[in-house]
Amino acid sequence: EAQVTQNPRYLITVTGKKLTVTCSQNMNHEYMSWYRQDPGLGLRQIYYSMNVEVTDKGDVPEGYKVSRKEKRNFPLILESPSPNQTSLYFCASSGWSGTYEQYFGPGTRLTVT
Amino acid sequence: DAKTTQPPSMDCAEGRAANLPCNHSTISGNEYVYWYRQIHSQGPQYIIHGLKNNETNEMASLIITEDRKSSTLILPHATLRDTAVYYCIVRGVGGAQKLVFGQGTRLTINP
């Protein structure tokens, strides 16, 4: 089954404690992206990757890092989380042909206290 | 990417057709209209997209006006599981493929 998986699905952590949210897709997609969703602000892009070793900032990259060492994985790293990073996070992927449909993961709900 | 305007909420009776409008008056010639939906807090789900011709798939139909300044997503026989926020997105194909989500339309299907 074609899918994007994220782990963990729920996480409560404290300010300053480094964390990584993993994202993996099994569709051999080149493009992957991270979004965050906040009430009243909708979904906003954090970082994206056009392919392995190619990443770039989205609209709200501050406080986040990403890496793309393998085509299937695109982890989101919060080196020093702060309460304003409490949010619902989605990973997405798509290929370079067909509908350019983006497949989204199930989401990770992060709370930083 | 062009801005879109959607009504914030709509209601529809179960079994009836749900027609969701979207205005995109500044759309350019090479931009497509995409529709996604988000059920509760799940990841957004692709529904359909089109350039200028009407499109239909197993989920919905997309009607784009001749001047391409507006479109309508049609769910032909709405069910309770179609209750969701529906996003109309206008974007070019290729490139960074960023999706710019607005506030969408919260569609409630009533029994």
Side-chain angles (χ1 to χ4, degrees), chain A residues 31 35 37 40-43 45 48 50 58-59 88 90 94-96 98-107 109, chain B residues 32 34 36-38 40-47 49 85 87 91-103:
Chain A
Y31 179 86
Y35 294 83
Q37 185 171 28
L41 297 176
L43 285 112
Q45 190 183 57
Y48 65 93
M50 306 283 269
D59 297 320
L88 180 57
F90 292 103
S94 70
W96 292 125
T99 66
Y100 297 97
E101 167 188 356
Q102 287 200 21
Y103 292 79
F104 283 79
R109 187 169 293 279
Chain B
Y32 286 70
Y34 279 76
Y36 281 74
R37 73 180 182 183
Q38 186 175 24
H40 194 44
S41 293
Q42 298 176 22
Q45 176 191 24
Y46 166 85
I47 301 173
H49 79 289
V85 178
Y87 297 99
R91 58 178 294 277
V93 172
Q97 299 191 39
K98 180 174 70 174
L99 295 174
V100 179
F101 289 85
Q103 296 303 309

Side-chain angles (χ1 to χ4, degrees), chain A residues 61-82:
Chain A
E62 293 76 24
Y64 305 95
K65 287 175 58 177
V66 293
S67 69
R68 187 93 182 272
K69 294 184 171 56
E70 304 168 283
K71 197 172 187 179
R72 63 183 294 126
N73 297 322
F74 190 45
L76 180 69
I77 303 158
L78 285 72
E79 294 269 5
S80 182
S82 62

